[in-house]
Amino acid sequence: MSESRHLSCACGEMKWHVAPNADGTHLICHCKDCASFARHLQQEEYLENGGTELFQCLPDDIVFDAGKENLKMLRLSPTGLFRWYAGCCNTPIANTLPRNLPFAGVILPKGRSDFGRLKCVFKGDQAPVPVKERGVSPTVFKIFKRMVLALIIGRRSSPFWADAKTACVEAQILSKEERKAAQR
């Protein structure tokens, strides 16, 4: 993989990177929740035909280089994914599961080739114009394999969590009205 996996928020206050040797999967997710997250942040430029480009990897492959004090998190519902963004300019950063499950979906600007080729199109039936899904089964298998191996070998650290049960920042949970407005 490329050594240039550096990302930053729109205003430049936050900078982060994904380890060049990180094992991961480059995909597009067309689920309504990923689209709602981008719309709520008013970052629709991250949507390609209603889908969000992601690089799924382990959380400890992500390093904040600058501006971590601007990190914010929201959940679309009390039980939804943890969705991280730059509070300075609302740039989406990543989606994670609860702390004890090593998974992160780094949100990419459209067309980043330095995260490998696109291997999966997920939830194509939820796109504004249906898109053919591909690579879903191998991607899901790889996610679970990566998580299980990480748990076995103890790769549980995450830049998003202060400790085993506490996120770095308090979650903003969208109200039903806010979520409905973002779903369009």
Side-chain angles (χ1 to χ4, degrees), residues 25 56 120 122 135-146:
T25 305
Q56 294 178 335
C120 176
F122 187 67
V136 175
S137 294
T139 297
V140 170
F141 175 77
K142 192 168 183 180
I143 289 167
F144 284 111
K145 179 182 173 188
R146 191 181 304 120

Side-chain angles (χ1 to χ4, degrees), residues 10 22 24 32-33 45 55 61 64-65 70 72 77 79-81 85-86 99 102 104 120 123 144 158-159 167 174:
K32 292 180 183 191
D33 287 347
E45 66 270 16
F55 183 74
D61 286 326
F64 286 101
D65 301 310
N70 294 308
K72 300 287 183 199
S77 70
T79 58
L81 285 176
Y85 66 99
R99 169 68 175 97
C120 176
K123 295 282 188 182
F144 284 111
S158 171
L174 295 188

Side-chain angles (χ1 to χ4, degrees), residues 55-73:
F55 183 74
Q56 294 178 335
C57 60
L58 296 175
D60 70 353
D61 286 326
I62 303 165
V63 177
F64 286 101
D65 301 310
K68 188 174 177 183
E69 67 276 6
N70 294 308
L71 185 66
K72 300 287 183 199
M73 185 251 290

Side-chain angles (χ1 to χ4, degrees), residues 17 29 36 38 45 66 75 91 95 132 138 151 158 167 169 173 184:
H17 71 273
C29 181
S36 293
E45 66 270 16
R75 300 178 85 179
T91 299
N95 304 320
K132 184 177 172 142
L151 290 169
S158 171
V169 296
I173 300 173
R184 288 190 230 151

Side-chain angles (χ1 to χ4, degrees), residues 11 13 22 27 31 58 146 151 156 181:
C11 73
E13 287 293 316
L27 66 111
C31 81
L58 296 175
R146 191 181 304 120
L151 290 169
R156 298 177 187 201

Side-chain angles (χ1 to χ4, degrees), residues 88-102:
C88 46
C89 60
N90 284 355
T91 299
I93 296 173
N95 304 320
T96 64
L97 294 171
R99 169 68 175 97
N100 57 341
L101 297 173

Side-chain angles (χ1 to χ4, degrees), residues 11-23:
C11 73
E13 287 293 316
M14 289 190 76
K15 295 179 183 352
W16 60 98
H17 71 273
V18 176
N21 62 342
D23 178 37

